[in-house]
Amino acid sequence: MTKTEILAALKNLTAEERLEIIETASRMMREEIEEKAQRKVERKQKLRAAAEAAVKDYMPGGALHDLWSADSEPYFESEEEYLNAGIKTNA
């Protein structure tokens, strides 16, 4: 049904029936809002857990430590090789 059809149909209902429809629609909207908020909380918890799990990889001895450590050796031999590799930065 379109909004126009719904509004036209509401005119044929009693005030009590319309109120019942409004209450039901309000409950449905609250449930949707609560579900969305819960999904957001769960997503945030999952992202936090993933970030916390990755920390050990960046610590000394971790799989990614040498890539990001200030005292690690450069991956490219020269600035020119780096520029020719076609790496794009976010800067």
Side-chain angles (χ1 to χ4, degrees):
M1 293 181 84
T2 66
K3 287 188 270 184
T4 305
E5 292 170 333
I6 293 170
L7 293 173
L10 287 173
K11 290 179 182 178
N12 297 324
L13 299 176
T14 65
E16 292 80 14
E17 291 170 324
R18 283 182 278 188
L19 184 57
E20 183 181 342
I21 289 171
I22 291 169
E23 290 170 347
T24 302
S26 295
R27 180 182 42 79
M28 291 169 62
M29 290 171 52
R30 278 192 306 276
E31 288 172 358
E32 285 181 23
I33 291 168
E34 289 170 6
E35 288 171 5
K36 184 177 180 180
Q38 182 61 33
R39 285 192 305 269
K40 186 176 181 179
V41 166
E42 290 170 0
R43 184 173 50 245
K44 188 174 182 177
Q45 289 172 341
K46 287 178 184 179
L47 288 172
R48 177 179 288 281
E52 289 173 354
V55 168
K56 65 180 182 240
D57 290 333
Y58 293 93
M59 300 303 289
L64 299 173
H65 178 262
D66 289 341
L67 292 174
W68 303 103
S69 173
D71 58 344
S72 66
E73 294 182 24
Y75 183 79
F76 294 102
E77 294 293 324
S78 67
E79 181 76 18
E80 184 179 343
E81 183 183 354
Y82 170 76
L83 294 173
N84 290 333
I87 296 174
K88 295 181 181 173
T89 64
N90 291 334

